[in-house]
């Protein structure tokens, strides 16, 4: 087979690819979900299960997704169509690409609302808005921000513009430059926060909450939470890795590179936990997850802290930056698809997709104000969108990707992409047997929850 080349250029180095994929992986999930679920489900015991899920299930799928992307060298839809045709004579596999892209855009629509909110809080924090608040005034601030769809909408707009601006500039001038600046900054900021947490006096308590293994608190349900989070945190199943894989030079090792990303993402989740919990505990506040942790619990803690203005600003800047590189990855696949198949220029495609996502984002915005009383199944419209995209669409598409890479693709094509023979066998075993079982369990669990309601 003559090798295809990407129409958008290539990553200029392996490091940039690692930064870009890590940038897509590290996001809101690392900061407000991982620390909390780890603490709630047995601390160190959970972390061990999480690592097992990452290496036995998520990493093989990640490798599969990058591999498919590099082999197809196109946007996820075209890649799945071409590979489906080549490997099995079935272009219908393109459905997997379509599903991934749509789900990714859906995720981006609410992701951007929350990220815009973090952006707003970064400026609020810097201006000293969190000084000397009590829990009532923090809640009031939260309310003030979410009550107005115009305020939430304005910040959502700002964040979408930031994201579209990067993707519009293309792989080398947009994506690469952004991750090269943001990712090192992110690392510095998080180390600053951890450094600060070490001085709170409750560092050990915070660390123990996330790290001390409590096997009694670890339930089968906790294990499924770990698996689901591994999926979300590593950005699997939405075509992001496939799109990024399409720009990966042929001689770069996929296995070695993805392992680094998986480790980096987990390390940042742990660092986030070490930064957040000591701050929470030093003020005697109960830990929480989700928007509540970032926008209520932490501001309260910051307001009581000596270097509160500084720490709060660093935290929210960090959150915004992390969400930004994740959002860039969520937008890229659809933009690549429009450029390749509709012959649009990048700026037009980015603005077009960005506008659609921006509009859909208002469903999430209204869930906090105009439509806050509209409740069904999991809660507000936002809660439902979030649950549907993350717990149902993500595993479905992940399952399809593993089955394709593990069972449909022929050995020859896979070996061409993955060099090391022993690593290859292990990967094939995990992709064929372990990953599909794990993902199926996730789906069964989500289905059971659906029925229970
Ligand atoms: N991984 C990101 C986080 O932890 C979220 C994210 C970015 C994502 N791109 C994705 C999730 C693609 C699923 C699919 O916050």
């Amino acid at each position: 087979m003559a090798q295809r080349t990407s129409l958008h250029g290539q990553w200029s180095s392996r490091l940039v690819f690692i930064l870009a994929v890590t940038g897509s992986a590290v996001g809101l999930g690392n900061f407000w979900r991982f620390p909390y679920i780890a603490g709630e489900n047995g601390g160190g015991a959970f972390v061990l299960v999480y690592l097992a899920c990452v290496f036995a299930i998520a990493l093989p799928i990640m490798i599969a997704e990058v591999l498919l992307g590099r082999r197809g060298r196109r946007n996820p839809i075209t890649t799945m169509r071409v590979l489906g045709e080549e490997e099995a004579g079935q272009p219908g596999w393109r459905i997997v690409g379509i599903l991934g892209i749509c789900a990714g855009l859906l995720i981006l629509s609410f992701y951007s609302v929350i990220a815009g909110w973090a952006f707003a809080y970064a400026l609020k924090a810097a201006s000293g808005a969190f000084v000397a608040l009590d829990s009532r005034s923090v809640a009031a601030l939260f309310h003030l921000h979410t009550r107005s769809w115009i305020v939430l909408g304005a910040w959502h707009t700002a964040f979408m513009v930031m994201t579209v601006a990067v993707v519009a500039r293309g792989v080398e001038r947009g994506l690469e430059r952004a991750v090269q600046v943001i990712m090192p900054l992110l690392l510095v900021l998080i180390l600053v926060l951890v450094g600060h947490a070490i001085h709170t006096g409750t560092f050990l308590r915070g660390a123990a909450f996330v790290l001390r293994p409590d096997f009694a608190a670890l339930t089968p349900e906790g294990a499924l939470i770990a698996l689901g989070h591994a999926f979300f945190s590593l950005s699997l199943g939405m075509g992001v890795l496939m799109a990024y894989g399409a720009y990966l030079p042929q001689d770069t090792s996929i296995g070695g590179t993805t392992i680094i990303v998986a480790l980096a993402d987990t390390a940042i989740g742990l660092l986030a936990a070490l930064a957040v919990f000591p701050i929470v505990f030093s003020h005697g506040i109960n830990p929480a997850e989700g928007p509540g942790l970032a926008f209520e619990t932490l501001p309260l803690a910051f307001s009581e802290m000596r270097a509160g203005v500084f720490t709060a600003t660093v935290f929210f800047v960090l959150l915004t930056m992390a969400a930004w590189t994740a959002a860039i990855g969520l937008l890229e696949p659809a933009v690549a698809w429009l450029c390749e198949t509709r012959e649009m220029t990048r700026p037009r495609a980015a603005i077009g997709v960005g506008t659609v996502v921006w509009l859909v984002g208002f469903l999430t915005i209204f869930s906090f104000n105009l439509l806050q009383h509209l409740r069904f199944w999991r809660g507000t419209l936002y809660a439902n969108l979030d649950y549907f995209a993350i717990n149902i669409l993500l595993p479905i598409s992940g399952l399809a990707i593993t089955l394709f890479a593990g069972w449909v693709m022929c050995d020859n094509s896979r070996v061409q992409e993955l060099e090391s023979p022993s690593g290859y066998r292990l990967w094939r075993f995990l992709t064929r047997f372990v990953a599909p079982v794990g993902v199926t369990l996730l789906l069964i669990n989500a289905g059971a929850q659906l029925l229970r309601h």
Side-chain angles (χ1 to χ4, degrees):
M1 185 198 75
Q3 246 162 35
R4 285 178 282 261
T5 48
S6 150
L7 305 174
H8 309 270
Q10 288 197 349
W11 301 111
S12 46
S13 68
R14 179 170 118 110
L15 178 66
V16 186
F17 175 73
I18 293 178
L19 290 178
V21 180
T22 310
S24 139
V26 174
L28 299 172
N30 300 60
F31 290 91
W32 77 34
R33 201 156 140 74
F34 180 78
Y36 175 79
I37 55 178
E40 281 292 285
N41 292 287
F46 178 88
V47 174
L48 288 180
V49 173
Y50 181 76
L51 281 172
C53 291
V54 165
F55 284 97
I57 299 174
L59 186 63
I61 301 180
M62 193 177 195
I63 293 177
E65 204 175 322
V66 176
L67 178 156
L68 296 181
R70 184 165 79 177
R71 188 130 187 107
R73 291 258 184 239
R74 289 292 178 275
N75 68 82
I77 300 178
T78 312
T79 287
M80 287 311 296
R81 177 173 61 73
V82 169
L83 295 184
E85 224 157 67
E86 268 175 21
E87 305 285 339
Q90 287 163 340
W93 279 97
R94 74 177 212 283
I95 291 280
V96 179
I98 298 175
L99 183 77
I101 288 190
C102 293
L105 295 180
L106 190 62
I107 293 185
L108 181 57
S109 79
F110 55 77
Y111 208 80
S112 163
V113 174
I114 312 279
W117 190 348
F119 193 15
Y121 267 47
L123 298 184
K124 275 200 218 296
S127 71
F130 300 146
V131 175
L133 296 176
D134 55 24
S135 55
R136 291 227 336 260
S137 42
V138 168
L141 206 68
F142 185 87
H143 210 75
L144 194 70
H145 189 81
T146 51
R147 195 185 56 194
S148 153
W149 65 269
I150 298 177
V151 172
L152 275 179
W155 289 105
H156 162 57
T157 310
F159 186 80
M160 277 311 297
V161 169
M162 279 162 58
T163 306
V164 165
V166 172
V167 176
R169 298 169 74 92
V171 176
E172 272 153 50
R173 285 174 50 235
L175 274 58
E176 288 201 356
R177 280 202 200 157
V179 296
Q180 277 172 313
V181 176
I182 299 171
M183 296 312 289
L185 190 65
L186 200 86
L187 188 64
V188 172
L189 291 180
I190 193 159
L191 291 178
V192 168
L193 278 186
V194 174
H196 182 273
I198 291 179
H199 295 288
T200 51
T202 41
F203 184 69
L204 291 179
R205 216 181 121 207
F209 182 65
V210 232
L211 294 177
R212 194 175 42 219
D214 176 2
F215 285 94
L218 182 69
T219 55
E221 225 170 340
L224 278 178
I225 294 180
L227 179 55
H229 186 69
F231 242 74
F232 181 76
S233 196
L234 290 177
S235 306
L236 302 183
M238 302 283 103
V240 180
L241 297 164
M242 221 182 267
Y244 279 8
Y247 317 143
L248 187 64
Q250 200 62 37
D251 54 6
T252 308
S253 148
I254 296 180
T257 323
T258 44
I259 287 179
I260 296 178
V261 174
L263 288 174
D265 183 64
T266 309
I268 293 198
L270 287 171
L271 285 175
L274 293 182
V276 166
F277 285 123
I279 296 177
V280 169
F281 288 138
S282 68
H283 299 90
I285 308 170
N286 277 332
E289 77 168 320
L293 172 71
F295 301 118
E296 283 190 285
T297 312
L298 282 171
L300 184 59
F302 291 138
S303 84
E304 293 168 8
M305 239 154 79
R306 245 184 306 123
V309 171
F310 171 75
T311 324
T313 312
V314 171
F315 177 79
F316 286 110
V317 169
L318 182 69
L319 206 57
T320 313
M321 304 246 134
W324 193 12
T325 49
I328 291 168
L330 284 166
L331 192 59
E332 174 66 20
V335 170
W337 175 71
L338 281 179
C339 292
E340 288 171 15
T341 60
R342 299 287 181 274
E343 272 153 46
M344 269 193 203
T345 60
R346 252 192 182 261
R348 285 192 122 198
I351 292 173
V353 183
T355 307
V356 173
V357 174
W358 175 74
L359 285 172
V360 178
F362 279 88
L363 293 178
T364 294
I365 290 177
F366 294 149
S367 311
F368 288 99
N369 36 66
L370 302 181
L371 298 178
Q372 62 174 316
H373 299 298
L374 176 69
R375 277 168 198 268
F376 55 101
W377 188 33
R378 313 281 315 174
T380 60
L381 200 53
Y382 158 62
N384 283 295
L385 285 179
D386 182 294
Y387 188 85
F388 177 69
I390 293 172
N391 296 287
I392 297 180
L393 293 180
L394 223 66
I396 290 183
S397 136
L399 184 61
I401 288 170
T402 25
L403 292 179
F404 186 84
W407 294 99
V408 177
M409 219 174 178
C410 65
D411 252 325
N412 238 342
S413 327
R414 290 186 296 227
V415 171
Q416 273 177 18
E417 300 293 331
L418 300 176
E419 37 316 288
S420 125
S422 56
Y424 173 70
R425 288 234 182 80
L426 178 62
W427 170 78
R428 193 178 60 179
F429 172 75
L430 293 172
T431 308
R432 285 191 157 173
F433 301 102
V434 181
V437 171
V439 184
T440 306
L441 284 178
L442 269 184
L443 275 172
I444 292 178
N445 185 45
Q449 298 226 7
L450 238 170
L451 291 182
R452 226 176 290 152
H453 273 267

